[in-house]
Amino acid sequence: MQRAIAPPTPLPPSPVEPTATPSPPVPAAAPVDGCERIIALVNQVRQGNGLAPLAYNPQLTAAAQQYAEFLAAHDVLNHTADGRTLDARAEAAGYTTWVALGENLAGGYATFEEALDAWMVSLAHRDNVLNPGFMETGVGCAWNAGSAYGAFFVQEFGTRS
């Protein structure tokens, strides 16, 4: 079996433009449960494209949440900022026997919808969202008001054998 990892493509920060009706901010201590809204949004996009929804996976969520917290604490947005690769982080969280993994990162967006919109205009991130080979997902969010990004969003995608 071939193990495939989606190519890391860091998403540059995007300034949040002020609007007449500002988007609600991500809570200061964005809980994992609040981040699960990303799964619902991604599944709406997938289903709109004729794809099966992704199943929630607690190990991928643990890996995503830990990484989101690391990114926020270090004010960085990079797929290997902690010195580890996606597969190492997923396996450390107990997601083993995987055959495919992918990861989307976003920072600097005020809402989950804005993060998803950014992913959908980036080819590599869009490919992860619309990859029919991915079956499971987990998400993590963190907030650092003193950082250049503010909110950090991490979504892990996977399929196990």
Side-chain angles (χ1 to χ4, degrees):
M1 274 185 235
Q2 182 180 8
R3 291 182 166 199
I5 298 176
T9 306
L11 188 61
S14 172
V16 178
E17 298 286 329
T19 61
T21 310
S23 300
V26 176
V32 174
D33 290 345
C35 294
E36 290 176 7
R37 172 142 172 73
I38 294 173
I39 296 173
L41 294 169
V42 164
N43 280 338
Q44 287 175 2
V45 170
R46 287 176 61 88
Q47 289 175 316
N49 283 275
L51 298 171
L54 297 168
Y56 167 84
N57 180 278
Q59 289 100 5
L60 289 175
T61 295
Q65 183 61 36
Q66 289 170 2
Y67 199 50
E69 291 171 5
F70 178 90
L71 295 173
H74 294 86
D75 193 19
V76 63
L77 194 61
N78 181 300
H79 288 277
T80 57
D82 65 352
R84 298 185 302 165
T85 58
L86 164 61
D87 56 329
R89 289 191 301 273
E91 290 172 1
Y95 195 77
T96 57
T97 68
W98 58 269
V99 294
L101 288 172
E103 176 176 76
N104 284 356
L105 307 178
Y109 301 99
T111 67
F112 305 128
E113 290 83 0
E114 288 176 6
L116 177 58
D117 287 347
W119 288 336
M120 295 308 290
V121 298
S122 163
L123 186 57
H125 294 92
R126 180 183 177 86
D127 286 351
N128 280 341
V129 170
L130 298 178
N131 185 330
F134 288 138
M135 302 295 155
E136 300 176 298
T137 192
V139 295
C141 302
W143 181 258
N144 179 347
S147 79
Y149 299 98
F152 294 79
F153 304 94
V154 177
Q155 184 167 20
E156 310 292 6
F157 302 86
T159 301
R160 291 184 283 190
S161 57

